[in-house]
Amino acid sequence: MMFGVVNSDCEAIIKVAVGHIGSSKITVDAVIDTGFTSFLSLPLSIITNLGLLWHYRDIDTLGDGSEVVFEIYKASVIWDGIEQIVDVAASDADPLVGMGLLYGFKIQIEAVEGGRVTLKKLLSPDHKTL
């Protein structure tokens, strides 16, 4: 189980340990974004500091319907205690956790400033939890 907090902007925040594959990790505060279908986005400055490897270029549609080109990098993250290799989109925005990482988890958000954010792994396709 993982925990986060709702910040003063009413954003659900979770800490994510991220780094270059095979090296140490840094912890970033990332906003949970259920409209973001990929795994993780990070500012290019963090991607550069971590030395993440460029993987490919992708075109995606934003919430307003506009299309944007994202540079995609590979990174290692610790997610629910397990190391995974994921795609990371370079973005000018704050770090985001998308549905790619959230998939298979139940999310509960106490939607008030300082509220608790809880992510619990689902056991099976019928969505029963531990």
Side-chain angles (χ1 to χ4, degrees), residues 27-96:
T27 302
V28 297
D29 289 337
V31 176
I32 293 175
D33 184 352
T34 59
F36 176 44
T37 58
S38 191
F39 294 90
L40 184 67
S41 76
L42 293 173
L44 187 56
S45 59
I46 293 176
I47 289 170
T48 302
N49 287 341
L50 292 172
L52 301 184
L53 300 175
W54 183 86
H55 189 56
Y56 65 97
R57 186 170 290 131
D58 192 20
I59 298 174
D60 207 351
T61 304
L62 300 180
D64 65 2
S66 63
E67 289 189 340
V68 66
V69 175
F70 285 104
E71 301 295 327
I72 306 296
Y73 296 80
K74 283 292 186 188
S76 171
V77 299
I78 307 297
W79 187 251
D80 198 30
I82 299 169
E83 186 170 21
Q84 299 182 46
I85 306 303
V86 299
D87 289 344
V88 175
S91 172
D92 294 331
D94 290 336
L96 300 176

Side-chain angles (χ1 to χ4, degrees), residues 7-24:
N7 68 15
S8 60
D9 292 326
C10 209
E11 297 169 321
I13 305 294
I14 189 89
K15 292 188 179 301
V16 180
V18 60
H20 190 281
I21 298 166
S23 68
S24 61

